[in-house]
Amino acid sequence: MPVAALRRATRETVSGLPREFWWLWTSTLVNRLGAFVATFMALYLTLDRGYSATYAGLVAALHGLGGVVSSIGAGVMTDRLGRRPTLLVAQASTAASVALLGFMHHPVAIAAVAFLVGAASNASRPAVQAMMADIVRPEDRVRAFSLNYWAINLGFAVSSMAAGFIAEVSYLTGFLIEAGMTAVCAVVVFVKLPESRPPRQTGTEKGDGEEEVRLGTVLRDRRFMGVVGLSFLVALVFQQGAVGLPVAMGAAGFSPADYGLAIAVNGVLIVALQIPVTRFIERRDTGRILVVSSLLAGYGFGLTAFAGSVGVFALTVCVWTLGEMLNAPTQTGLVVRLSPAQGRGRYQGMYTLSWSVAALVAPLMSGLVIDRFGAEWLWGMCAVIGTAAAIGYAVLMRRLGAAEPAAGETPAATTKPEVSPA
């Protein structure tokens, strides 16, 4: 793509979004720039503290369990207390618990605080996504979610590189830096972001009144729960990049550096191509994008069964990364489309739960399959799961229709949300 065309595409991608969105985007970027703990937690426990790999896995599982527990609770808080208070509580709690984790020495204390870190850090996601849906016009939401996803990956790419250097100096320094940068995010939210929760309504239509949007409402919404189920399948596949792929490469005789080289392609591609991809998908059919992204994810990992060199592994990463770039903003936009304005927190919490549960199940699935049947079976299962998700999306989107508005929303509720001062 010529430089002038790339500049024009970038300008068109970032233009027209409200100022509040960019402060929220900045908060996300700063938060991910300081996300060191997740990167070096296993090394910290095994090398610095001298614990076993089994214990490190247990701590990682408890960290994930914390995310599962907080997903629904944070969604309810987002609707009841508001987006801004939930973000403040989540980020302040994350900063405090991460700093505390750096000073823990007893294995039980480390495991308990890791659970708290997982719960606190995951609690901000429903609020961020709900606030973004509140302040961005419906026609700009896919673009906004894509830019937010780009910030997450840019921050993670930088923090992953910095984590190694920081760990050589002091693991405690890494914990304290992450706590400090998360505290900065809380300050940004407090100073720059007004509350965006739509005002309570007293209309008679379902979804107009807040009291009608409860967890039971979400669970009875079969269309939305279908999206949650399909999201779980896709997440189960994508998680293999962090859990199944390193194990399989190690068992095949490749070094950790080889895995690092292959998986680095994921972050590089997302940072380099997410904006052009956003321009491509912004006006495309949602159902087709989700079908294609599921197939790319499933068969991208499926091709890993034929990989025999770092270059081929990197090529398979390219395939499923493209699926990831297509899926993430499109699926998040679909979740918002199906969420009533007064229940966005609960709906986003349920959606977040699908990814949190996948993060728990994926390590168990990959370990069991690789140990008993071999890595080739795991990659074959990924292809099957991706195909099943693609079929599910095709059926679901055919039922939804191409132009159905978000459940329970009026045009005014989606295009002109009231943004009140704190």
Side-chain angles (χ1 to χ4, degrees):
M1 178 182 291
V3 175
L6 180 60
R7 288 178 179 174
R8 184 172 62 254
T10 302
R11 184 171 59 252
E12 291 175 354
T13 299
V14 302
S15 64
L17 295 170
R19 181 181 60 182
E20 291 84 1
F21 165 80
W22 289 111
W23 282 116
L24 191 60
W25 184 90
T26 301
S27 175
T28 298
L29 179 61
V30 172
N31 188 31
R32 297 309 299 172
L33 285 171
F36 303 116
V37 172
T39 303
F40 61 62
M41 176 63 78
L43 293 176
Y44 166 70
L45 293 175
T46 55
L47 298 182
D48 190 67
R49 294 300 187 189
Y51 293 113
S52 66
T54 300
Y55 174 76
L58 174 63
V59 172
L62 287 172
H63 183 276
L65 181 62
V68 171
V69 172
S70 69
S71 296
I72 301 300
V76 174
M77 284 180 60
T78 297
D79 286 337
R80 288 188 175 179
L81 301 182
R83 284 64 158 139
R84 186 170 179 264
T86 303
L87 273 175
L88 285 171
V89 171
Q91 292 175 343
S93 300
T94 301
S97 58
V98 166
L100 181 62
L101 184 59
F103 293 97
M104 294 295 100
H105 296 277
H106 193 279
V108 175
I110 292 174
V113 177
F115 173 84
L116 295 178
V117 171
S121 60
N122 200 64
S124 63
R125 294 180 183 178
V128 168
Q129 293 170 341
M131 179 175 279
M132 203 168 293
D134 294 338
I135 64 182
V136 175
R137 297 178 303 174
E139 59 268 27
D140 292 332
R141 283 175 184 159
V142 170
R143 180 158 56 102
F145 287 129
S146 186
L147 288 169
N148 190 65
Y149 177 69
W150 183 83
I152 290 171
N153 282 277
L154 176 62
F156 181 75
V158 174
S159 67
S160 296
M161 291 186 290
F165 295 103
I166 293 173
E168 290 184 1
V169 177
S170 167
Y171 284 100
L172 178 59
T173 300
F175 284 99
L176 295 179
I177 290 176
E178 176 165 347
M181 296 188 77
T182 306
V184 169
C185 294
V187 172
V188 169
V189 170
F190 180 76
V191 174
K192 294 294 185 180
L193 285 174
E195 177 56 59
S196 66
R197 182 179 59 171
R200 295 184 180 183
Q201 301 176 7
T202 58
T204 58
E205 293 186 10
K206 182 180 179 180
D208 284 346
E210 183 181 9
E211 68 279 4
E212 294 185 18
V213 184
R214 301 179 181 275
L215 285 179
T217 307
V218 183
L219 294 173
R220 288 191 299 270
D221 190 337
R222 292 181 294 177
R223 299 175 306 171
F224 179 78
M225 291 307 297
V227 173
V228 171
L230 294 171
S231 169
F232 169 75
L233 293 181
V234 171
L236 200 60
V237 174
F238 282 130
Q239 289 289 337
Q240 299 308 322
V243 294
L245 186 58
V247 173
M249 290 185 68
F254 292 93
S255 68
D258 293 331
Y259 167 72
L261 185 62
I263 200 64
V265 174
N266 175 258
V268 171
L269 282 179
I270 291 173
V271 172
L273 298 180
Q274 188 63 55
I275 290 179
V277 168
T278 298
R279 295 290 300 166
F280 174 78
I281 68 176
E282 191 173 2
R283 305 302 178 189
R284 296 299 194 280
D285 179 72
T286 298
R288 291 181 180 178
I289 294 173
L290 290 173
V291 168
V292 171
S293 66
S294 300
L295 293 175
L296 286 171
Y299 287 94
F301 278 101
L303 290 172
T304 309
F306 304 99
S309 67
V310 175
V312 178
F313 276 112
L315 182 61
T316 65
V317 172
C318 289
V319 176
W320 59 259
T321 296
L322 180 57
E324 184 180 352
M325 288 189 288
L326 294 172
N327 179 272
T330 306
Q331 185 163 252
T332 306
L334 177 61
V335 169
V336 173
R337 171 182 160 187
L338 296 176
S339 305
Q342 297 291 345
R344 281 182 181 141
R346 291 174 173 85
Y347 274 71
Q348 291 289 353
M350 187 64 69
Y351 170 63
T352 301
L353 180 65
S354 68
W355 283 83
S356 299
V357 173
L360 273 180
V361 174
L364 301 176
M365 168 183 151
S366 61
L368 181 65
V369 174
I370 290 174
D371 286 343
R372 292 195 175 186
F373 305 104
E376 293 79 7
W377 278 84
L378 176 63
W379 309 131
M381 288 179 62
C382 287
V384 171
I385 294 172
T387 302
I391 295 172
Y393 278 122
V395 173
L396 178 67
M397 296 307 298
R398 188 178 296 114
R399 292 178 178 177
L400 286 177
E404 183 182 352
E409 288 189 346
T410 64
T414 55
T415 59
K416 296 181 180 179
E418 286 193 19
V419 181
S420 57

